[in-house]
Amino acid sequence: HDKSIIAIAKGQADGAGVCDTCIQRVVDAGLVKATDYRVIGTSDPIPGSPLAYRGDLPADLVQKIKDFVFGYDKQNPDFFKDSNTTAYFPVDDSDYQVVKDTAKALNMSPEELLK
């Protein structure tokens, strides 16, 4: 994402699909100016990468992991300070339906989208 934004700013690309938080991060880092690009469209929100654990872990360990991750915002509030995230929260497969729908619209498997 960052390299695509920089390529647009340098006139090496006419456009790119990038995350909105990536744009702000590159601007804040001083790598591009807000006037170096123009947002021409936005999509519905796309979920970020999930945190996951192996399915064969003992239930008590899974609960300890969940307690740690879902309480991290209270233990380390500064961790999320410079992001658009305020905390970790549980998700399930349906939260990623937008990815499946995108793959279908592009006639690609979800695995092909990850390449």
Side-chain angles (χ1 to χ4, degrees):
H1 295 264
D2 298 0
K3 289 180 181 178
S4 296
I5 297 164
I6 293 167
I8 292 168
K10 290 183 174 183
Q12 298 168 336
D14 293 327
V18 298
C19 67
D20 55 355
T21 57
C22 297
I23 296 170
Q24 192 59 52
R25 183 176 59 241
V26 175
V27 171
D28 289 348
L31 300 172
V32 302
K33 297 181 293 234
T35 56
D36 289 339
Y37 65 89
R38 179 170 53 101
V39 175
I40 58 173
T42 59
S43 70
D44 289 337
I46 298 172
S49 301
L51 299 177
Y53 56 85
R54 282 192 350 236
D56 62 349
L57 293 177
D60 63 325
L61 180 56
V62 168
Q63 190 56 53
K64 287 177 184 177
I65 292 169
K66 288 180 177 182
D67 291 345
F68 175 79
V69 170
F70 298 139
Y72 201 72
D73 58 311
K74 292 164 190 60
Q75 297 296 322
N76 296 294
D78 288 342
F79 180 77
F80 298 104
K81 183 174 64 171
D82 294 328
S83 73
N84 288 339
T85 303
T86 57
Y88 292 116
F89 55 93
V91 298
D92 61 41
D93 190 57
S94 67
D95 292 308
Y96 290 85
Q97 187 61 44
V98 65
V99 177
K100 296 173 188 175
D101 293 344
T102 301
K104 185 175 180 180
L106 296 173
N107 198 26
M108 298 173 75
S109 71
E111 294 77 19
E112 289 174 305
L113 285 177
L114 299 174
K115 292 182 181 179

